[in-house]
Amino acid sequence: MEIQKLYDLDDIEFEDIAIALVRLVKHIPDHEFFFKINQKNDLKFSRITDLVYHGTYYDFCFPRFEAYHKHTKTCFTFISNKCSESNQKKLQTELFTEEENIKFLLNNHPDVEYILHSSEQFPDFSVILLAENLAFPIQDYNLSSEEELYQIIQYYE
């Protein structure tokens, strides 16, 4: 008699992660953007350790900023979509490689400056007020478990 498996990893469905995309009206430095956000909100964002993506030829660093909402006890994290720094690990000897020294976490959205993530399963990003002349309205976005960014966010959570 065969022993029945308790669960099969192929049958487990992973839930999507709700994130938000933040596009700026004009390019401004991180410190200026978060200074203005901290002025408008009771949330106080501060820089935490960078998200590090290990590529084949480069290691990429993406700045992260975090704050806790006092009333809901929710953690909000802004992750820069574009790397701020890339460190070359080894020389590229192949002519046509897909890895360059600049990386975006969301390759299909290079116009997005920040990815906003929450510790809540069903986050409410409307509690974060952005200056109208500074950023476009926050766009909700769902990450499926097949996307690479999904795995990265799960690792850093």
Side-chain angles (χ1 to χ4, degrees):
M1 191 171 202
E2 292 182 23
I3 299 174
Q4 186 179 16
K5 289 184 182 180
L6 294 176
Y7 59 89
D8 186 8
L9 290 176
D10 295 333
D11 293 339
I12 297 174
E13 286 189 29
F14 295 98
E15 292 186 17
D16 291 351
I17 295 177
I19 61 172
L21 307 180
V22 179
R23 291 175 175 86
L24 299 182
V25 173
K26 61 181 179 177
H27 180 71
I28 59 171
D30 291 337
H31 65 274
E32 186 177 332
F33 176 71
F34 287 101
F35 176 76
K36 291 183 180 188
I37 285 182
N38 288 343
Q39 282 182 323
K40 287 191 71 83
N41 296 279
D42 56 347
L43 294 165
K44 298 302 173 210
F45 284 92
S46 60
R47 186 151 181 188
I48 58 173
T49 58
D50 288 355
L51 182 149
V52 179
Y53 178 89
H54 301 286
T56 305
Y57 299 102
Y58 294 92
D59 286 337
F60 302 98
C61 297
F62 298 89
R64 293 189 309 156
F65 302 86
E66 188 174 80
Y68 291 94
H69 194 268
K70 297 173 188 171
H71 303 295
T72 62
K73 308 266 192 273
T74 304
C75 176
F76 291 101
T77 307
F78 275 92
I79 306 168
S80 181
N81 186 36
K82 184 178 179 183
C83 70
S84 62
E85 173 182 342
S86 61
N87 300 313
Q88 189 170 11
K89 295 192 291 188
K90 63 182 182 177
L91 289 173
Q92 292 181 343
T93 55
E94 298 176 23
L95 186 57
F96 299 106
T97 60
E98 293 184 15
E99 189 171 301
E100 297 179 17
N101 64 342
I102 295 175
K103 171 126 180 93
F104 292 93
L105 290 174
L106 290 171
N107 290 324
N108 296 337
H109 300 282
D111 59 327
V112 171
E113 273 77 23
Y114 299 102
I115 299 162
L116 180 55
H117 173 60
S118 171
S119 60
E120 293 289 318
Q121 175 122 15
F122 303 105
D124 180 17
F125 297 117
S126 66
V127 298
I128 300 174
L129 302 174
L130 301 176
E132 291 178 14
N133 59 351
L134 187 63
F136 293 106
I138 293 175
Q139 176 189 352
D140 292 334
Y141 187 83
N142 285 327
L143 278 178
S144 68
S145 58
E146 291 91 33
E147 294 185 59
E148 187 176 35
L149 183 56
Y150 178 96
Q151 306 299 327
I152 292 170
I153 288 174
Q154 291 295 334
Y155 175 78
Y156 278 91
E157 211 172 61

